[in-house]
Every structure is written in structure tokens, then in C-alpha cells.
Amino acid sequence: MTISPDEHVAVVTGASSGIGEATARTLAAQGFHVVVGARRLDRLEHLARDIGGTALELDVTDEDSVDAFAAVLPRVDVLVNNAGGAKGLATVMEADLDDWRWMWETNVLGTLRVTKALLPKLIDSGNGLIVTITSVAAFEAYDNGSGYTSAKHAQAVLHRTLRGELLGQPVRLTEIAPGAVETEFSLVRFDGDEERAAKVYEGISPLVAADVAEVIGFVASRPSHVNLDQIIIKPRDQASPGRFARKQD
Ligand code: NAP
């Protein structure tokens, strides 16, 4: 990867869709060389061509993949820990252990792996920024959501712990906790069931990925002494993870 000496590098995980893709576009428009990572390389290559960035295959659940990804990065100024998602909706009594493993591997251990691998370069940059996309599910539990809410709570605690551990280092930390954003999130949660996924957003005006990306762009463009610790962003139609004002036809 060739980067000019005055170029700053932003890494966005899970950039093949949704919030990650929109964030990559926003940061590229702000002048960052954006390195986009995810498993679907075809989508990433298309995006990288559009924004003049670099596409790299990345599976955050695989140690070797994360190591190979980190090894080719000449520098890292911004890391957006975005790769993640949910699988299923089930009571604790009926919890699917494989769904739990997927959510914990991707959201929690994925964030840990990537953050550990890139932290030395973020510190070396002299003005690093780590943005982690948690969720309103990192603040509240909801029925049938324990696999996801527990994973997002754990991911958030990992991120918040770093705020203290890195005190005195030139690295800022921002947690972004969105409510309902219409992306491929629900399609993934319900294993490709489009009808069920569409119902999540029925009768409300959900956020779109660009709404969240715009806020991340704001965070990344603050002066280096300003740390925005936590930002919760929800649609006006949503009061809490499970409480919506839905219009009826
Ligand atoms: P999305 O459209 O499904 O995007 C998820 C991204 O994560 C995809 O690019 C996917 O890429 C990537 N990903 C999944 N597993 C991965 C892995 N093992 N390695 C690397 N990348 C992986 O959903 P989204 O809404 O944009 O979600 C982005 C983040 O926002 C997630 O952390 C999610 O939990 C959080 N969030 C979403 C909402 C919402 O309502 N949409 C609300 C709160 C928080 P590949 O499949 O190509 O690998």
C-alpha cells in the first residue's frame, strides 16, 4: 500500500455494507486514505475504487486474518470498530449457542483482536482515534435479545476500559451507540428473511447509515484535545431498544 507522507490513514472494519461503508465514504471525503476491511472483498474493491482507498480482506473472528491485515498498514490514525451484528431473537431458555458464539466472536473478540493489533500504530501516530460502534443494546437489556445485548455490553466495556488505560497516551476514544438504522443488520439477524427484516422498520423513519457516518465524521474532525466519549443516536420514533412510535396504515 502506498501512502504519501502527509496522508492520514483511517481503518474501517465491516465496510462492505451499512454504517461501515457510509463511514468510509465520509472519512474519505474529509481527506483520509481509508482502508476498508470485511470478508466480502468484491464489495470492498468497488468501494475502494470509488473513494480512492484500499480494500483488504478481513475476518475479525480469525487471528491470522487480523494479523495479516495489520501487517500491511504503514500507519493508522483512526480506527472505526464497526464490524458486528446480531443473529436471531430468542429467550435465554431457547438460546442458540452457535448464535451467541457468532455474536461474541464478531462484536466482542473481533473488536479486541483488531484494537490490540492496531493500537501500537494508533499510539505512534501521535493523534490516534478509536471509534467503536456499540448500540443502544449496550445500555439496556431487552427480551429475546440477550445474545446481542450481552455482546454489545461486553464490547462497550472493553472500549470504555481503554479510555482509562490509555489516559496520557495520544489516543482518543469515542463510543457511538445507534438505535435502529436501516442497513443489512436485520437481514443478517434473520438469516436473509427479507419480510421479517422489513418489519423492524415498518411504520417508523429509521436512521440511515449516512446519519451515523456524519456523526463519526464530526468526531474525527474535532481538535486533538477534544474527546467525545459517548454518543447515543436514535431515530425520533424510538425511545429505547424496544419502544417505537409506529404509524398504522
Ligand atoms: P450491516 O449492514 O449488516 O454491516 C455489517 C458489516 O460487518 C458488514 O460489512 C460485514 O461485512 C461486517 N462483518 C460481519 N462479520 C464480520 C467479520 N467476521 N469480519 C469482518 N467484517 C464482518 O450492519 P450495520 O447496521 O451497518 O452494522 C454495523 C455495526 O453497527 C455493527 O457493529 C452493529 O452491531 C452496529 N449497530 C447497528 C444497528 C442497526 O440498527 N443497524 C444499531 C446499533 C448498532 P462482511 O459480511 O462482508 O464480512
Side-chain angles (χ1 to χ4, degrees), residues 14-19 38-40 58-61 82-85 102 106-107 133-135 148 152 178-181 183-185 188:
S16 60
S17 151
I19 296 169
R39 294 165 302 177
R40 288 170 293 180
L58 171 68
D59 181 348
V60 299
T61 69
N82 167 74
W102 187 94
T106 311
N107 295 284
I133 314 301
T134 65
S135 170
Y148 186 58
K152 284 302 193 188
V181 192
T183 61
E184 292 177 17
F185 176 85
V188 172

Side-chain angles (χ1 to χ4, degrees), residues 113-128:
R113 276 188 203 96
V114 175
T115 305
K116 268 187 80 172
L118 301 193
L119 206 41
K121 285 174 177 145
L122 284 154
I123 294 171
D124 284 351
S125 77
N127 183 22

Side-chain angles (χ1 to χ4, degrees), residues 12-31:
V12 181
T13 69
S16 60
S17 151
I19 296 169
E21 179 186 342
T23 301
R25 291 186 188 282
T26 298
L27 295 178
Q30 289 181 350

